[in-house]
Amino acid sequence: MSVALSRRQAFKVMVGLGGTVATGLLPKTAAAEEEHPAHPVAPADAIAMLYDSTVCTGCKACMPACNEANGLPADTLLSGGIWDMPTGLNAQTKNIIELYQDPKSDEFAFVKKQCMHCLDPACVTGCPFGSLKKSDWGAVTWNSSLCIGCRYCEVACPFEVPQFEWKSWNPQIVKCEFCYDQRLKKDLEPACTAACPTGAVIFGKRVDLLAKAKDRIATAPGKYFEERVYGEHEAGGTQVLYLSSVSFQKIGLPKLGTTSIGHYATKVTSHIYKWLSGPIAVSGVLGFFIRRNWNRHELERLEHEKQSGFPDQL
Ligand code: SF4
Ligand code: SF4
Ligand code: SF4
């Protein structure tokens, strides 16, 4: 009797186990608690992106610039092969401008979505093979030679950023890497910030952009939602910062606590067992996001099957 599992079945088994098997490969020790403080402090050289939704015109110049810098083809599936028309982040789209519109009022806002480059990234904690890491200046980069396409980073990310290459014979993960190899290492700013004609998204040191964002809030009372910067503290802080006049949740930025997800995991560990439970606790916390995101993956799969006309074998 054959006991071979498809990749999809294997993935479900891994999810069912809460990631224990996979994350058990990680060397989680007490030192992990030090690696994951509740409120990580950004290093002085940490870079960032500040996106001000109130300045964005929705011109989308940042999207083809991102595609070009990253060698990605346009997503023309929904436009009949004519123009780039992604409906969300996907394997061909590391950066997207979305439109929020309230059907009952005139309220609307554009929002730019890409990796948030978290100060303590759940994707890095969740990857059992060290494929994702915090690189220079805090950019969260990905190493294709270590990635097996297990999708743990995808389900661990609270911002639903990493995307799976459905069409590839050897599917891997795609996400914004801050143009690390293509531009940062050449002393160039990211392609999206360089291309933006209005200054809606700008690049710089996190400490400077945070100060700039707070200055904008102070000089325009009542203009910005909750008079605060999204990403200053969410999930321990991120290196992409947002200003918006519309509720952050309405434009698709999740409501998150201020504690880093990696810290939650290691804190639980220290209260239960001194060893072995580390991976279980880590995966327990990540399991929350796994469960939350699993239904979305199933919907994506069904949609993919509908579009391709073939059942998904992955
Ligand atoms: S290029 Fe700038 S203004 Fe245009 S959509 Fe992108 S962020 Fe908005
Ligand atoms: S937004 Fe998601 S993919 Fe990006 S660094 Fe944070 S956890 Fe990782
Ligand atoms: S930093 Fe680079 S990869 Fe990331 S969204 Fe901007 S252009 Fe795209």
Side-chain angles (χ1 to χ4, degrees):
M1 182 181 71
S2 169
V3 292
L5 293 177
S6 71
R7 286 182 68 144
R8 172 157 292 276
Q9 288 167 324
F11 182 67
K12 277 187 170 179
V13 169
M14 289 169 78
V15 169
L17 290 173
T20 304
V21 174
T23 52
L25 299 172
L26 290 169
K28 298 290 174 194
T29 66
E33 275 188 83
E34 286 172 30
E35 283 173 31
H36 300 281
H39 306 293
V41 176
D45 68 346
I47 53 166
M49 222 185 264
L50 169 62
Y51 172 76
D52 186 336
S53 173
T54 69
V55 182
C56 180
T57 60
C59 72
K60 299 190 177 179
C62 51
M63 289 175 58
C66 175
N67 278 8
E68 190 182 342
N70 289 277
L72 291 168
D75 177 359
T76 60
L77 185 69
L78 290 184
S79 67
I82 302 174
W83 58 70
D84 192 29
M85 206 175 153
T87 55
L89 295 177
N90 62 38
Q92 291 166 246
T93 310
K94 294 184 178 186
N95 170 53
I96 189 168
I97 296 292
E98 294 176 349
L99 170 64
Y100 161 76
Q101 259 179 316
D102 183 342
K104 295 183 196 143
S105 73
D106 292 339
E107 187 180 57
F108 78 97
F110 294 105
V111 58
K112 182 180 185 297
K113 301 266 185 74
Q114 71 296 295
C115 175
M116 301 290 284
H117 298 278
C118 306
L119 293 177
D120 183 7
C123 60
V124 174
T125 308
C127 178
F129 302 99
S131 175
L132 287 144
K133 69 168 187 172
K134 272 301 237 191
S135 294
D136 297 341
W137 314 294
V140 178
T141 58
W142 170 84
N143 183 339
S144 65
S145 65
L146 297 175
C147 178
I148 62 156
C150 70
R151 301 173 68 189
Y152 261 84
C153 56
E154 191 183 357
V155 291
C157 172
F159 298 99
E160 302 181 2
V161 167
Q163 300 294 315
F164 192 61
E165 287 183 313
W166 290 102
K167 292 180 186 165
S168 169
W169 65 271
N170 180 26
Q172 294 189 323
I173 284 296
V174 176
K175 75 165 202 72
C176 157
E177 297 178 88
F178 236 134
C179 288
Y180 182 74
D181 285 317
Q182 301 88 339
R183 297 181 62 95
L184 290 189
K185 288 210 302 203
K186 297 172 187 161
D187 213 16
L188 296 169
E189 66 178 298
C192 56
T193 60
C196 180
T198 64
V201 62
I202 54 177
F203 173 74
K205 283 194 173 175
R206 188 177 189 269
V207 64
D208 296 335
L209 293 185
L210 202 47
K212 190 181 277 283
K214 289 181 177 178
D215 193 46
R216 286 188 195 179
I217 292 170
T219 52
K223 178 178 179 183
Y224 292 107
F225 177 70
E226 289 184 346
E227 311 237 307
R228 70 183 184 90
V229 186
Y230 186 96
E232 181 177 11
H233 300 300
E234 274 75 11
T238 62
Q239 288 180 234
V240 176
L241 306 167
Y242 285 82
L243 287 173
S244 171
S245 59
V246 173
S247 152
F248 296 123
Q249 278 70 65
K250 282 184 181 173
I251 62 173
L253 297 170
K255 192 172 179 64
L256 297 168
T258 60
T259 304
S260 94
I261 291 164
H263 178 78
Y264 273 126
T266 51
K267 192 150 178 57
V268 173
T269 306
S270 67
H271 284 295
I272 307 177
Y273 302 108
K274 286 293 176 202
W275 66 284
L276 187 62
S277 64
I280 297 170
V282 168
S283 54
V285 173
L286 296 179
F288 167 80
F289 293 104
I290 290 170
R291 281 192 297 279
R292 189 192 68 169
N293 290 350
W294 177 253
N295 286 344
R296 181 173 64 89
H297 293 304
E298 284 303 286
L299 289 173
E300 276 178 9
R301 182 175 65 81
L302 291 170
E303 182 62 23
H304 185 259
E305 285 181 4
K306 207 165 83 185
Q307 287 172 359
S308 66
F310 296 102
D312 169 38
Q313 296 302 316
L314 292 167

